[in-house]
Amino acid sequence: MKLRPLHDRVIVKRVEQETKTASGIVIPDNAAEKPDQGEVLSVGPGKRNERGDITTMNVKAGDRVLFGKYSGQTVKVDGDELLVMREEDLFAVVEK
């Protein structure tokens, strides 16, 4: 199944967090927090403004982004857990 986001929505896959601290302590899965970074898999065409024109999106597929812990709606597609959220729920793009 493929998802095509509508309007100003983006589909994000969470990036796995480190399971070990800098000092070497292993964090068990049940104690680890959900990561707040992800990779944009797909973006919608954009939101319509007051005049009916579509405003372009500021992110593109492949961007690594930061978002809030409880942002977006979780969906399962082909065994993968993905997030569908509005572009405005993203905090920043991580530059390489």
Side-chain angles (χ1 to χ4, degrees):
M1 173 181 8
K2 292 184 109 182
L3 293 178
R4 183 175 52 92
L6 303 174
H7 308 292
D8 64 334
R9 303 280 201 297
V10 295
I11 297 175
V12 177
K13 181 173 184 177
R14 288 186 193 268
V15 176
E16 293 303 316
Q17 197 105 351
E18 289 292 322
T19 58
K20 198 183 273 193
T21 65
S23 60
I25 298 172
V26 176
I27 302 170
D29 287 340
N30 59 353
E33 292 185 10
K34 288 185 175 181
D36 53 1
Q37 288 189 36
E39 179 183 351
V40 176
L41 300 180
S42 184
V43 298
K47 191 174 187 178
R48 291 201 182 269
N49 62 18
E50 307 83 44
R51 297 184 307 177
D53 300 327
I54 294 178
T55 57
T56 58
M57 302 285 276
N58 291 316
V59 295
K60 61 186 179 311
D63 282 350
R64 191 173 188 143
V65 293
L66 299 177
F67 50 87
K69 289 184 196 288
Y70 305 107
S71 296
Q73 178 67 40
T74 304
V75 294
K76 279 203 171 204
V77 177
D78 298 332
D80 288 332
E81 194 171 284
L82 305 176
L83 288 168
V84 179
M85 64 180 75
R86 292 184 176 274
E87 183 185 32
E88 65 192 27
D89 292 338
L90 301 175
F91 296 148
V93 175
V94 178
E95 299 290 338
K96 295 177 183 174

